Amino acid sequence: MLPRGRPRALGAAALLLLLGLTLLLGPFLSGGDPERERREPGGPARAPGCARCLLTPRVPSDGQLRGEPSAGLGDHNRSACAPQPPLPPKCEVLHVAIVCAGHNSSRDVVTLMKSLLFYRKNPLHLHLVTDAVARSILGTLFHTWMVPSVLVSFYDAQELKPQISWIPNKHYSGLYGLMKLVLPLALPPSLARVIVLDTDVTFASDIAELWALFAHFSGVILLRLDRLRQAGWEQMWKLTARRVLLTLPATSLADQDIFNAVIKEHPGLVRALPCVWNVQLSDHTLAEGCYSEASDLKVIHWNSPKKLRVKNKHADFFRNLYLTFLGYDGKLLRREIFGCPSQPLPGAEQLQQALAQLDEEDPCFEFRQQQLTVHRVHITFLPHEPPPPRPHDVTLVAQLSMDRLQMLEALCRHWPGPMSLALYLTDAEAQQFLHFVEASPVLSARQDVAYHVVYRDGSLYPVNQLRNVALAQALTPYVFLSDIDFLPAYSLYDYLRASIEQLELGSRRKAALVVPAFETLRYRFSFPSSKAELLDLLDTGTLYTFRYHEWPRGHAPTDYTRWREAQVPYRVQWAADYEPYVVVPRDCPRYDPRFVGFGWNKVAHIMELDAQEYELLVLPEAFTIHLPHAPSLDLSRFRSSSDYRACLRALKEEFHQDLSRSYGASALKYLTALQQPQSQARAP
């Protein structure tokens, strides 16, 4: 506890963990004691009846809490209080600061940003203080989100730690819970005003309304950064903290304890802020004291460890509001603010020009448009521990959609090494996936599997874009390029690492190791534990070489007859339509993103490996087995639509032209192979 005499829970608009909108300060306590609030010393004068209008409301009806219009709904909090200041000009940039560290906090930022962007009408400049993990996640996310009139600046939390590491702290957030103390030092000297948000808040109104409240401030106000610096904020809070820590072993509320102590000594820092801007949903507040109508709500603060499970009179309403933004399609927030000049997003102009050149009457318009789609990407969606550095380590790389989620547990049992998986999901499906992993003992125990969510946008499956996302996030020197509907041999991970070492791959030898592929048509069968057992299943008809009945040329160059007897790796030559599963260095060529939907996506990649003179070496003890499943929508469209197949042929021809430009005369053999007749009905 803090020393005696410390103000009791300055609350509501007062401080950090109670506020969530930090450092816009005020004496109201959310759902607290109105009489005590009116007696609190040090607060500025308030309009008569303001405390009553905020803290003694009538209870909203069920219809009003669902957001339905009704008589008398609207300005309840404002009518009896001081007039609201005018909103900032529509093109004024609003500055927002957030401290974020780790995987889970990064997910919270996304939901917070959806609610903020949904209501905002002004350009925003986000100032994100992050650790390395959150910097990587949020940097990729905002780069691919491409939201107009949103600028993002990052600040390294590691550089700020020495300023606060001397403070004993028992709060679960660790040093990051103290970071807001040093924001005036960390943020640019030219920045005069900023709103600081906790990651666990949900907006229910335009943040410009909150920004407008700066007009009321007349003293030294926290987050009026210019005035804080003039007042010597850094020395002020450090001296106060040292005095507090003489009698307090450690802070329990992180920077909240220090802010409260500073305010006790400097009550002029406090400015009243209506508690509708901090409707706290914790077990020790009466949140309904802050609002009487659904339209009163401004910001919901999930400041209970129970989060969505918190007990509250209107908990269902608040949960539904939060879940609305959690599952909201983020691409719908790529909205222009018309009439406001903004810095063009990287690549945005070129993208718009390319899209404008597309012909909507073109039978292949759908393919062309999908190739140009920029998908939002949330890398390492779940907590992930990078593998320790090993010179011959291998990451399994694959991609999947929601209908293949059930394959994950079996894959984890077969492959004990690191994995990098790209998932093509809607925002709502991403939450279902999160719950699926949390409920699975097998999946939740694996911290070496990195899941990267690529958000759904368009009607064709962007298979090669997904592969490239997963490939780019692999952290080991080598990658096994697989598909989610294959289960590798139980021993394959160890065998691949040993083979890479024995074959001296890397700088001495440029090679792609071929893992022979098989398939079963049975949903239940006994998975072979060795090559000998696999051959027995092959001889009895339980297993087949992959696509033997439908597309044998896709794997024929592997030479399964030779593989049966092989005891050492052997080299094979590239042939038309060859698409084996291979192990290659992490810096191998990326997949060609023009191939979307079904067909030629792996073929083109193997062709490029061959053009770059990779040896194709078949491993004699390696194997992977395809499991049966219903055909994908894209495969069904390929088989049933002649237009679909015609578009695929056009993409193949364009790919070959680009290959010829890149590799010259050596690419002529691919042109010859492309011109060979082949079955349209079965071609991949």
Side-chain angles (χ1 to χ4, degrees), residues 332-645:
L332 300 179
L333 297 167
R334 290 170 170 166
R335 300 183 299 210
E336 298 275 355
I337 298 180
F338 296 110
C340 295
S342 62
Q343 182 178 348
L345 295 167
E349 290 185 359
Q350 298 90 323
L351 177 62
Q352 289 302 319
Q353 291 172 3
L355 288 169
Q357 292 173 1
L358 296 182
D359 179 7
E360 294 191 23
E361 301 301 320
D362 180 356
C364 299
F365 172 78
E366 187 180 15
F367 285 82
R368 312 282 184 204
Q369 185 183 49
Q370 189 75 64
Q371 296 165 34
L372 295 173
T373 300
V374 178
H375 296 271
R376 286 176 297 133
V377 178
H378 189 139
I379 60 173
T380 50
F381 189 73
L382 300 180
H384 173 247
E385 290 293 333
R390 299 190 187 105
H392 309 111
D393 207 0
V394 184
T395 295
L396 187 149
V397 170
Q399 39 71 39
L400 66 151
S401 54
M402 195 69 178
D403 59 344
R404 300 286 187 267
L405 212 57
Q406 72 278 2
M407 296 293 300
L408 290 176
E409 288 191 347
L411 182 59
C412 283
R413 293 188 180 99
H414 279 249
W415 181 269
M419 288 188 272
S420 180
L421 306 176
L423 298 95
Y424 193 50
L425 306 173
T426 66
D427 293 73
E429 287 174 342
Q431 300 310 311
Q432 296 175 39
F433 161 69
L434 170 64
H435 300 319
F436 179 82
V437 173
E438 290 176 341
S440 166
V442 174
L443 300 181
S444 59
R446 292 290 297 269
Q447 295 294 301
D448 57 351
V449 180
Y451 301 102
H452 318 292
V453 173
V454 178
Y455 287 101
R456 185 181 293 275
D457 188 355
S459 59
L460 293 170
Y461 188 73
V463 56
N464 278 358
Q465 295 180 46
L466 295 171
R467 287 181 172 132
N468 286 340
V469 168
L471 180 54
Q473 297 305 317
L475 301 176
T476 57
Y478 297 90
V479 289
F480 173 34
L481 305 178
S482 185
D483 275 335
I484 198 65
D485 44 10
F486 279 83
L487 290 182
Y490 286 108
S491 60
L492 186 61
Y493 174 60
D494 291 333
Y495 176 63
L496 291 178
R497 290 186 298 162
S499 298
I500 290 168
E501 183 176 12
Q502 292 167 5
L503 293 169
E504 298 183 327
L505 298 190
S507 58
R508 294 196 177 195
R509 194 171 190 180
K510 192 176 182 180
L513 306 183
V514 176
V515 177
F518 299 84
E519 69 176 342
T520 180
L521 304 180
R522 302 181 182 183
Y523 284 89
R524 291 187 178 183
F525 83 110
S526 179
F527 198 93
S529 60
S530 65
K531 179 178 179 178
E533 288 187 14
L534 181 140
L535 292 176
D536 288 341
L537 294 173
L538 197 63
D539 292 337
T540 60
T542 302
L543 290 181
Y544 302 92
T545 58
F546 186 54
R547 290 294 181 257
Y548 172 78
H549 298 93
E550 296 181 329
W551 185 241
R553 62 189 293 155
H555 291 263
T558 298
D559 194 351
Y560 289 95
T561 301
R562 182 177 180 182
W563 183 81
R564 293 180 70 104
E565 307 297 332
Q567 297 183 3
V568 296
Y570 58 91
R571 184 173 182 176
V572 296
Q573 298 298 317
W574 174 87
D577 299 315
Y578 193 29
E579 52 176 359
Y581 294 95
V582 296
V583 177
V584 288
R586 181 180 58 190
D587 61 356
C588 68
R590 287 335 189 220
Y591 288 88
D592 193 305
R594 84 185 76 201
F595 293 104
V596 295
F598 177 82
W600 241 62
N601 42 75
K602 292 194 301 295
V603 172
H605 188 245
I606 296 299
M607 189 179 293
E608 185 126 15
L609 291 177
D610 183 69
Q612 293 194 14
E613 299 181 340
Y614 278 74
E615 291 183 79
L616 295 171
L617 297 176
V618 181
L619 297 177
E621 299 295 327
F623 61 87
T624 186
I625 299 176
H626 179 266
L627 300 185
H629 56 74
S632 67
L633 176 61
D634 285 297
L635 175 56
S636 300
R637 292 182 63 186
F638 170 83
R639 289 173 172 171
S640 62
S641 171
S642 58
D643 286 342
Y644 194 110
R645 295 193 295 271

Side-chain angles (χ1 to χ4, degrees), residues 100-102 106 129-136 155-158 161 176:
C100 176
S106 297
V129 179
T130 63
D131 65 352
V133 170
R135 171 66 178 85
S136 178
Y155 305 83
D156 188 357
Q158 192 67 29
K161 286 184 177 180
Y176 296 99

